Amino acid sequence: MAPLPASPSSISTASPRSLLHSNSSEWNVVVQRNIKSSLLLLLVLSTVFVFSVVYSSQGFGTAATREANPLVPGEDLADEQPIVVADEVMWQQNRARLQPSPCHPQTRRLREHLNNQEIKVGTQVEEKCDMSMGKWVREPKGPVYTNQTCPTLPDFKNCQKYGKDPGHLFWRWQPDGCDLPRFAPARFLDVVRGKRLAFIGDSLARNQMESLLCLLSQAETPTDVYRDAFDKFRTWHFPAHNFTLMAMWTEFYAHAEPVIDADGKPTASFDIHLGRLNANWTSRLPGLDYAVLSGGNWFFRVNYLWEGGRRVGCVNCREANLTDFGIAYAVRRVVRAALEAVARCEDCNRRGLVAFMRTYTPDHFEHGSWFSGGYCNRTRPLEEGEVSSEHIGWELRRVQREEVERARETTTADGSGVRFGVLDVTKAMMLRADGHPGGHYDKRWVRNASDCLHWCLPGPVDMWNDVLQQRIVEIAPPPVVR
Ligand SMILES: *[C@@H]1O[C@H](CO)[C@@H](O)[C@H](O)[C@H]1NC(C)=O
Ligand SMILES: *[C@@H]1O[C@H](CO)[C@@H](O)[C@H](O)[C@H]1NC(C)=O
Ligand SMILES: *[C@@H]1O[C@H](CO)[C@@H](O)[C@H](O)[C@H]1NC(C)=O
Ligand SMILES: *[C@@H]1O[C@H](CO)[C@@H](O)[C@H](O)[C@H]1NC(C)=O
Ligand SMILES: *[C@@H]1O[C@H](CO)[C@@H](O)[C@H](O)[C@H]1NC(C)=O
Ligand SMILES: *[C@@H]1O[C@H](CO)[C@@H](O)[C@H](O)[C@H]1NC(C)=O
């Protein structure tokens, strides 16, 4: 068993920002300097928060919002920290790449673009309705739970407690061709009685687990069963329904190790071994009835790709004699390998495991990033025209859906007992620039950071579980052959 690439003792390695243009070790120094003072405090007071913020990578995904905002900065750069300059470089680059404007042609282009992207999904996990396209409409009822009624709500996602505008709570996703039923905690628990469900991925996978815990706790209070030393693997149990809910940590699915710099310190970059999966999650597949895989945000860093013990290329590296394969390629490779591993898992076949891919969701930083003054203080969803059709999120979504389709074809041909489905939330979340904590968290932990990647609870992320509920009740319960 090789070690997981990151540990709490190497916070500087896990800087959330990937940099396209700046030397990564130089940047690390900057980040270390920036956060070193608060590092000890951070560790002592909230490992969890560190995981949430620092272990989440994010990329230049917010281009859409930045683009759409007419009040973009261009000044104030000279006296900023280098990290801001680097962010700004990225931002400028995105601005050059993306040219959206909130007008009708843009909306039309987005529609056309997405329609062209639609992939015929098979009938393996029957999808009665495509819930991926739609719009957010006002919902006066508000969320299923509140910060008063969810006993497991993590403090750093309790945005209401820290003064976030409640406007983001009163929306519901309206798919184009059908309705998405409101989450029904008791009904969900009945359907999953005796089952085991795992969210496999990074901190956004955990975000979905936290949402599901809050939703289900309206019907039954869960028991905290297991937490590993680094809080990367969690297990909860709903005793009355014998339902087990898990989070399993993996940034890349593949085996990956941080790149070590000249001083022997881990950098923000990873060596990703494409041919080798991380056994930490694959070894926990047996026994699962449902798995929700997700990921993508960690690929925005400078990462190196290895195959057969050889470094074959990189992502975002800009090194003269190293091929940059691009984020989408790297994501495709590891998603394919991950789905193949799920399809091969013998116990999963026996149990009739249903594996979902939860599609990519972007951050919504404006004018900066985590530690450089970025923010996300919108109080209502974006208009469709404010989201760029060129956003890389669409490409990652397409890759993820194509790989699920490929896995479906293969497993159908093989007569495999594993079934695959998609929770396609990309478009819905692209629009929810108003759903992140931003600066609404306990400032005693980290004074000057902003989280525009994770999602407030309650909040739009609860919709992921509305979709999960719908998919799970649609499919016939898998036959259990022991
Ligand atoms: C699995 O996770 C544990 C705890 O997080 C870690 O100590 C171990 O090194 C990991 N193993 C692999 C193969 O990543
Ligand atoms: C819940 O949110 C309200 C604001 O809506 C806040 O005043 C209160 O302190 C929060 N309660 C808890 C237990 O977090
Ligand atoms: C609870 O569910 C597990 C599978 O998740 C099963 O092995 C076990 O027998 C169940 N326990 C009871 C008491 O039904
Ligand atoms: C390019 O490759 C050569 C020979 O393999 C190596 O010596 C050199 O350091 C490489 N340059 C960069 C920028 O990696
Ligand atoms: C917080 O970050 C902003 C932007 O980088 C900076 O202007 C400000 O001085 C910082 N405040 C503190 C207290 O560090
Ligand atoms: C969001 O924050 C920015 C910068 O602090 C501010 O200029 C803007 O007015 C804020 N917008 C809202 C809707 O609060």
Side-chain angles (χ1 to χ4, degrees):
M1 295 273 282
L4 262 192
S7 74
S9 57
S10 59
I11 279 170
S12 61
T13 74
S15 316
R17 201 68 172 134
S18 72
L19 293 178
L20 295 182
H21 279 314
S22 76
N23 174 309
S24 72
S25 58
E26 186 184 303
W27 176 70
N28 266 321
V29 173
V30 173
V31 171
Q32 277 173 33
R33 201 189 303 131
N34 273 356
I35 65 174
K36 198 164 255 170
S37 54
S38 53
L39 216 55
L40 269 176
L41 190 66
L42 257 162
L43 273 171
V44 173
L45 287 180
S46 174
T47 321
V48 180
F49 186 83
V50 175
F51 272 100
S52 166
V53 171
V54 182
Y55 278 162
S56 304
S57 87
Q58 58 85 36
F60 45 90
T62 30
T65 0
R66 288 169 197 160
E67 294 306 311
N69 188 346
L71 307 167
V72 286
E75 73 284 15
D76 294 343
L77 287 177
D79 55 339
E80 293 275 16
Q81 299 271 4
I83 183 172
V84 179
V85 177
D87 284 343
E88 191 58 25
V89 168
M90 201 180 303
W91 176 78
Q92 294 287 4
Q93 190 189 44
N94 289 329
R95 186 163 60 165
R97 248 169 13 102
L98 316 173
Q99 297 294 335
S101 67
C103 58
H104 293 304
Q106 172 66 29
T107 307
R108 200 176 57 240
R109 272 213 313 282
L110 176 61
R111 283 241 165 78
E112 285 164 5
H113 181 73
L114 294 176
N115 287 341
N116 292 340
Q117 269 206 342
E118 278 322 310
I119 296 142
K120 174 86 190 76
V121 278
T123 52
Q124 223 196 3
V125 171
E126 193 186 345
E127 293 180 4
K128 298 218 169 88
C129 164
D130 175 8
M131 294 180 286
S132 67
M133 292 296 130
K135 59 179 184 299
W136 290 96
V137 298
R138 294 224 178 249
E139 173 54 74
K141 277 212 284 279
V144 169
Y145 62 94
T146 69
N147 67 359
Q148 317 273 356
T149 65
C150 173
T152 56
L153 201 157
D155 196 58
F156 48 86
K157 306 228 172 71
N158 190 349
C159 305
Q160 291 321 110
K161 181 173 166 189
Y162 296 102
K164 186 176 169 73
D165 183 291
H168 70 289
L169 298 173
F170 298 91
W171 299 89
R172 93 185 141 76
W173 181 245
Q174 175 64 62
D176 285 338
C178 55
D179 287 332
L180 177 56
R182 190 172 167 87
F183 195 90
R187 179 162 176 245
F188 187 100
L189 281 169
D190 279 341
V191 173
V192 297
R193 188 179 290 276
K195 306 288 187 205
R196 296 159 63 85
L197 184 156
F199 292 103
I200 302 171
D202 55 28
S203 53
L204 286 169
R206 175 194 306 239
N207 210 164
Q208 184 172 5
M209 180 195 71
E210 291 160 348
S211 159
L212 187 54
L213 280 170
C214 281
L215 290 163
L216 295 179
S217 67
Q218 305 312 294
E220 186 190 348
T221 305
T223 315
D224 192 347
V225 177
Y226 173 76
R227 172 203 295 252
D228 78 333
F230 301 118
D231 203 27
K232 291 188 166 183
F233 293 83
R234 274 310 274 278
T235 305
W236 296 81
H237 190 237
F238 292 79
H241 295 85
N242 191 20
F243 172 55
T244 305
L245 183 54
M246 284 173 274
M248 299 183 186
W249 180 275
T250 175
E251 302 94 335
F252 301 106
Y253 305 128
H255 180 84
E257 289 162 4
V259 175
I260 306 298
D261 69 13
D263 299 331
K265 294 216 176 71
T267 66
S269 297
F270 285 84
D271 285 325
I272 303 174
H273 297 267
L274 292 174
R276 197 171 140 206
L277 285 169
N278 184 333
N280 243 342
W281 69 272
T282 56
S283 65
R284 287 167 160 96
L285 283 173
L288 293 183
D289 300 292
Y290 303 101
V292 179
L293 291 89
S294 57
N297 298 76
W298 285 71
F299 289 85
F300 286 80
R301 300 166 176 227
V302 176
N303 289 322
Y304 298 93
L305 306 180
W306 290 68
E307 249 181 311
R310 226 166 42 84
R311 189 164 84 164
V312 293
C314 75
V315 175
N316 298 328
C317 70
R318 318 218 163 234
E319 282 168 42
N321 44 8
L322 212 45
T323 310
D324 188 335
F325 284 101
I327 294 169
Y329 171 85
V331 168
R332 186 186 294 281
R333 286 291 305 271
V334 299
V335 168
R336 181 172 299 181
L339 297 182
E340 283 172 356
V342 173
R344 271 199 315 270
C345 158
E346 273 179 36
D347 181 77
C348 307
N349 275 281
R350 269 197 304 277
R351 297 177 78 92
L353 171 77
V354 182
F356 297 99
M357 172 61 63
R358 194 270 298 157
T359 61
Y360 178 81
T361 66
D363 64 71
H364 291 92
F365 283 100
E366 296 184 56
H367 303 176
S369 184
W370 295 85
F371 300 104
S372 61
Y375 59 85
C376 43
N377 59 357
R378 289 167 186 263
T379 54
R380 51 170 299 143
L382 298 174
E383 300 292 334
E384 184 156 332
E386 293 178 280
V387 175
S388 166
S389 64
E390 302 300 314
H391 195 299
I392 188 167
W394 300 123
E395 193 183 354
L396 298 184
R397 164 184 180 266
R398 181 172 55 78
V399 163
Q400 290 170 322
R401 291 188 57 131
E402 283 173 359
E403 289 307 316
V404 168
E405 182 54 20
R406 184 178 184 277
R408 287 176 145 179
E409 282 164 6
T410 316
T411 47
T412 303
D414 292 355
S416 161
V418 176
R419 291 177 286 174
F420 291 96
V422 178
L423 310 179
D424 188 341
V425 298
T426 301
K427 179 183 174 185
M429 303 319 278
M430 286 256 193
L431 296 168
R432 294 312 300 270
D434 58 333
H436 303 283
H440 299 286
Y441 61 87
D442 192 338
K443 291 289 156 92
R444 280 176 305 173
W445 294 349
V446 187
R447 217 167 12 143
N448 207 12
S450 186
D451 180 355
C452 301
L453 173 67
H454 300 106
W455 303 94
C456 294
L457 299 175
V461 65
D462 296 323
M463 170 270 194
W464 304 2
N465 288 316
D466 294 343
V467 178
L468 175 64
Q469 165 184 256
Q470 188 58 11
R471 290 290 176 242
I472 283 183
V473 301
E474 270 172 14
I475 56 182
V480 180
V481 185
R482 288 177 198 280

